Amino acid sequence: MKHFLRMLIQVCLYFYCKFLWRCMKFVMRKLTGRCELQRICYSTKPGASRTIKIETSLRDSKSKLLQTSVSVHPDAIEKTIDDIMELKNINPDINPQLGISLQACLLQIVGYRNLIADVEKLRREPYDSDNPQHEEMLLKLWQFLKPNTPLEARISKQWCEIGFQGDDPKTDFRGMGLLGLYNLRFFAERDATVAQQVLSDSLHPKCRDITKEEISKFSKAEWEKKRMDKAIGYSFAIVGINITDLAYNLLVSGALKTHFYNIAPEAPTLSHFQQTFCYLMHEFHKFWIEEDPMDIMEFNRVREKFRKRIIKQLQNPDMALCPHFAASEGLINM
């Protein structure tokens, strides 16, 4: 009975808030002479702050046209803007800036949805060793990471040198499909210096001196182990596939909207997603070193702590994870 009453109260509260919100919107329209879309576009700076508000307003509207506008085909955005202006009785000649602002927001909103579809397609495509393109990408990954070391054979223990688990990397791509390979290849090719340094660090754990404070926390045997085992060592490729999973979940959950809406003046693309992966890979490597884990068994703990830190950063509406990749300079004040 208590559970039923609690649910009933929540339902009543939901409808009350919804009714109250619609009343407030009506009053604001009468007072300002502007609809909610106009108020958002004229009072909020371009980027994630504006686009997220526009997306919420369209999605929560009682108008079917506005609800479906967030999922139209990119080629239909201009017509959709015209239909919205007509529905809201807004003269585009008197309010030309509104159409431009709405178009910029819709390009980002629709682009984000399409990016999820593109990423999902790659994730669902399994690695096929009989596919020449897949094999070429894999061999290129080796060449970019180990430019001075020839791969002796396609099936080889050498793959362990770049962090795969066995002598045939195809088995490691099962979780993330081709998406994992695409991201690793992109990182190794576009950010070669950083990628090779991260790989080198993962293969060569650093020993360090023990401070007096640290001695008091661990036994001598534990510290000898900590100093001499792979304290910062990890499997580069496996971690890359794991960070791909992190980036994928951030994308699908909507957490990356803040980042993409701030760096992409129009539709975010697969390239933006891969650049974000490079950033996450680099940042996780630094975070792993800062955390100074006892061994690789602490990976899940460190990864979860890193995930929470990234999510906290993305809650800032002005956040751009990797501004050096950003197209934010192109965010014209529309």
Side-chain angles (χ1 to χ4, degrees):
M1 187 65 179
K2 289 183 178 179
H3 179 66
F4 173 75
L5 287 175
R6 190 182 299 111
M7 287 186 63
L8 183 62
I9 292 172
Q10 289 176 342
V11 169
C12 292
L13 187 62
Y14 169 77
F15 282 107
Y16 173 75
C17 292
K18 196 169 185 179
F19 173 76
L20 184 63
W21 175 245
R22 292 195 185 283
C23 290
M24 289 179 61
K25 286 173 65 177
F26 176 78
V27 171
M28 290 296 293
R29 173 92 189 231
K30 291 299 181 181
L31 288 176
T32 64
R34 293 175 175 176
C35 69
E36 186 178 36
L37 296 177
Q38 287 176 297
R39 295 195 300 272
I40 293 172
C41 287
Y42 293 151
S43 64
T44 311
K45 65 181 181 179
S49 296
R50 178 191 289 178
T51 302
I52 290 174
K53 287 181 180 179
I54 290 292
E55 185 175 14
T56 302
S57 177
L58 293 172
R59 190 183 60 243
D60 295 346
S61 173
K62 60 182 179 181
S63 166
K64 194 68 176 178
L65 171 64
L66 269 59
Q67 290 175 7
T68 58
S69 65
V70 297
S71 57
V72 298
H73 191 277
D75 294 340
I77 287 179
E78 285 192 31
K79 184 181 183 307
T80 301
I81 298 297
D82 292 339
D83 292 342
I84 292 174
M85 301 281 275
E86 183 179 351
L87 177 69
K88 294 292 185 179
N89 296 317
I90 300 172
N91 188 331
D93 296 327
I94 299 176
N95 300 275
Q97 201 62 39
L98 178 63
I100 297 173
S101 298
L102 282 177
Q103 184 176 16
C105 290
L106 274 184
L107 282 170
Q108 290 183 317
I109 295 166
V110 172
Y112 192 93
R113 294 171 69 96
N114 291 340
L115 175 58
I116 291 177
D118 292 341
V119 168
E120 184 64 32
K121 183 179 179 182
L122 283 174
R123 189 186 73 86
R124 288 179 177 272
E125 185 174 354
Y127 183 90
D128 183 2
S129 56
D130 293 326
N131 187 317
Q133 292 182 330
H134 295 187
E135 287 287 284
E136 182 183 2
M137 275 195 294
L138 181 60
L139 294 175
K140 284 288 187 182
L141 175 63
W142 174 273
Q143 292 171 11
F144 289 132
L145 290 174
K146 306 277 283 184
N148 300 319
T149 306
L151 184 65
E152 296 174 0
R154 167 61 181 81
I155 307 296
S156 169
K157 288 294 183 183
Q158 281 182 285
W159 290 111
C160 296
E161 296 177 22
I162 60 173
F164 287 104
Q165 292 179 319
D167 56 8
D168 191 351
K170 73 175 184 180
T171 58
D172 293 326
F173 291 119
R174 288 173 184 166
M176 283 286 106
L178 273 189
L179 184 62
L181 177 55
Y182 264 75
N183 279 351
L184 284 169
R185 154 83 186 267
F186 187 92
F187 183 37
E189 180 179 9
R190 298 296 182 90
D191 219 349
T193 302
V194 172
Q196 290 174 25
Q197 184 60 57
V198 171
L199 172 62
S200 176
D201 288 347
S202 72
L203 291 170
H204 302 95
K206 298 175 182 177
C207 298
R208 60 183 178 81
D209 295 331
I210 308 172
T211 64
K212 292 181 179 179
E213 292 77 9
E214 290 169 331
I215 290 175
S216 64
K217 295 180 182 179
F218 299 98
S219 69
K220 185 176 180 181
E222 286 177 320
W223 266 113
E224 283 304 313
K225 179 179 183 298
K226 186 171 179 61
R227 288 183 70 251
M228 301 310 297
D229 70 3
K230 294 193 172 184
I232 70 161
Y234 55 78
S235 299
F236 175 88
I238 297 300
V239 168
I241 294 171
N242 202 287
I243 297 300
T244 293
D245 177 73
L246 171 61
Y248 166 78
N249 283 293
L250 290 173
L251 176 73
V252 173
S253 69
L256 279 177
K257 284 182 179 180
T258 305
H259 168 64
F260 285 135
Y261 290 168
N262 281 328
I263 69 165
E266 295 184 349
T269 64
L270 185 60
S271 179
H272 288 114
F273 178 77
Q274 291 175 311
Q275 290 166 355
T276 304
F277 165 78
C278 293
Y279 170 83
L280 291 174
M281 192 70 178
H282 189 205
E283 288 300 302
F284 177 79
H285 178 66
K286 292 192 294 184
F287 188 75
W288 176 265
I289 295 173
E290 290 169 7
E291 284 295 298
D292 194 20
M294 287 291 293
D295 52 41
I296 193 63
M297 298 305 291
E298 291 198 67
F299 177 80
N300 288 337
R301 177 191 66 79
V302 176
R303 181 193 184 277
E304 179 59 17
K305 191 173 179 180
F306 177 72
R307 183 189 70 83
K308 289 179 178 179
R309 188 175 79 165
I310 294 296
I311 288 177
K312 185 176 180 179
Q313 290 175 347
L314 289 169
Q315 290 172 348
N316 177 1
D318 297 323
M319 186 63 189
L321 289 178
C322 38
H324 59 290
F325 288 126
S328 53
E329 295 78 6
L331 280 172
I332 306 168
N333 189 19
M334 294 189 284

